[in-house]
Amino acid sequence: MSGDHKTFLKGSPSQYVKLNVGGTLFYTTIGTLTKSDNMLRTMFSGRMEVLTDSDGWILIDRCGKHFGTILNYLRDGSVALPESFRETMELLAEAKYFLIEELTEACHQALNKKERDAEPICRVPLITSQKEEQLLIMSTSKPVVKLLINRHNNKYSYTSTSDDNLLKNIELFDKLSLRFSGRVLFIKDVIGSNEICCWSFFGHGKKCAEVCCTSIVYATDKKHTKVEFPEARIYEETLGILLYESRNGPDQDLIQATSSRGAVGGLSCTSDEEEERSGLARLRSNKQNNQS
């Protein structure tokens, strides 16, 4: 504009100045603008030319939307940051331009927190290939529960309750994934084998158990696909897979000792059982001697 001119601004800290920031007008003191070490201090310390119009307004070619927040931060040393992610990003850009390091760092921290808070609590990957499935299973330190849903690949007709049971399996999968999402990786498979509904349980990269919910029923001259809902067994296998949360794996001696009484996998009988058997043998021997 024809009336604009550059000048060096000199004055005491208590002197008020008029600012036109992108068309938005502000009124503040030189002391506020030079309070901390930043670009505004350099502009209003008298060492740098500033552009003014014919009415004495100092022109700053920035958006004035967040300049009021900038001034409040310079006055008080702290300020309430915007609620929205976008406005915090806008304020960060202004803080960077004016070289206000503390406000820049505060905006970065607020943005990082907003990103963490926006992350979903429960993620369920939908695999697109067998290679991707193996990569997910082998790369996680968590046990894995996979549900195969292959409804579209059925070449037989369904029984009347099959669709209902299929939905129950899906609903149970959703409930378990919400409950154990922090401890177990849940994945869905819609491209797998000819099975229609099948649960697979993995620990340390190896399959530990499987629950197939599909069977073929022969009725008159037709074959029907029947989908089961073995809820108790699915719960049992899910709780069992939690044993594999530790990278060291479950205690094999404990599993063998609690699986059944007596010899397990080639193990000999326990000393208690040997004592019990020898006691029974003595009783039989005494009984036979008394009868003779």
Side-chain angles (χ1 to χ4, degrees):
M1 296 175 63
S2 58
D4 297 346
H5 65 279
K6 290 184 178 181
T7 183
F8 288 94
L9 184 67
K10 296 182 180 180
S12 65
S14 60
Q15 178 181 334
Y16 276 84
V17 292
K18 302 184 295 181
L19 306 177
N20 182 339
V21 184
T24 305
L25 306 180
F26 297 92
Y27 201 53
T28 188
T29 65
I30 293 178
T32 296
L33 296 170
T34 59
K35 195 171 185 179
S36 60
D37 188 12
N38 52 61
M39 181 180 288
L40 289 169
R41 183 176 184 175
T42 302
M43 291 173 62
F44 293 95
S45 62
R47 294 174 295 172
M48 182 178 177
E49 287 184 327
V50 294
L51 182 67
T52 62
D53 63 12
S54 57
D55 294 325
W57 290 91
I58 300 172
L59 305 177
I60 299 178
D61 187 20
R62 296 295 294 179
C63 177
K65 180 178 180 180
H66 297 288
F67 194 77
T69 303
I70 298 287
L71 288 179
N72 287 334
Y73 183 82
L74 295 177
R75 292 179 181 121
D76 303 327
S78 62
V79 72
L81 299 180
E83 290 291 334
S84 74
F85 189 92
R86 179 177 179 178
E87 290 192 352
T88 305
M89 287 289 293
E90 294 172 353
L91 178 60
L92 173 61
E94 298 305 309
K96 283 183 176 180
Y97 177 81
F98 291 112
L99 303 178
I100 306 175
E101 294 182 1
E102 297 84 356
L103 182 57
T104 299
E105 180 61 26
C107 289
H108 277 304
Q109 293 178 0
L111 290 171
N112 291 335
K113 185 178 184 302
K114 291 178 188 297
E115 288 179 352
R116 290 193 301 269
D117 293 343
E119 289 183 357
I121 297 174
C122 178
R123 292 179 181 269
V124 179
L126 183 64
I127 63 172
T128 60
S129 66
Q130 293 297 318
K131 183 178 180 181
E132 184 181 41
E133 175 186 333
Q134 289 300 314
L135 182 61
L136 283 171
I137 293 173
M138 297 303 296
S139 62
T140 182
S141 59
K142 299 178 181 179
V144 178
V145 175
K146 184 189 77 169
L147 176 61
L148 167 66
I149 297 293
N150 205 13
R151 171 68 171 86
H152 63 278
N153 197 30
N154 178 35
K155 58 183 177 180
Y156 302 116
S157 60
Y158 279 75
T159 62
S160 57
T161 59
S162 289
D163 280 329
D164 185 50
N165 283 335
L166 189 64
L167 290 174
K168 288 179 179 178
N169 278 282
I170 297 174
E171 290 172 357
L172 179 59
F173 179 85
D174 292 341
K175 290 179 181 178
L176 291 174
S177 63
L178 287 173
R179 181 175 180 182
F180 296 109
S181 62
R183 304 172 63 184
V184 178
L185 173 63
F186 290 84
I187 58 178
K188 278 187 178 180
D189 181 3
V190 295
I191 62 168
S193 66
N194 291 327
E195 296 293 347
I196 296 166
C197 181
C198 185
W199 296 72
S200 300
F201 304 86
F202 300 85
H204 301 168
K206 297 180 180 179
K207 182 182 287 188
C208 303
E210 183 177 281
V211 178
C212 182
C213 304
T214 308
S215 61
I216 303 298
V217 178
Y218 294 89
T220 60
D221 59 340
K222 293 184 179 181
K223 295 179 181 179
H224 298 279
T225 302
K226 182 180 180 182
V227 179
E228 305 283 358
F229 178 51
E231 183 176 11
R233 188 180 171 197
I234 295 169
Y235 267 116
E236 180 182 357
E237 297 295 353
T238 303
L239 294 176
I241 206 69
L242 294 176
L243 291 170
Y244 291 86
E245 283 187 287
S246 169
R247 289 304 300 176
N248 296 326
D251 190 334
Q252 295 299 325
D253 292 336
L254 178 61
I255 291 178
Q256 289 181 344
T258 56
S259 60
S260 63
R261 295 191 63 187
V264 179
L267 295 178
S268 59
C269 298
T270 63
S271 59
D272 291 340
E273 289 177 326
E274 291 176 348
E275 184 178 351
E276 182 180 352
R277 291 184 180 180
S278 61
L280 289 173
R282 288 196 299 271
L283 288 174
R284 291 194 186 99
S285 177
N286 292 336
K287 186 177 180 180
Q288 289 175 358
N289 292 334
N290 290 334
Q291 288 177 351
S292 61

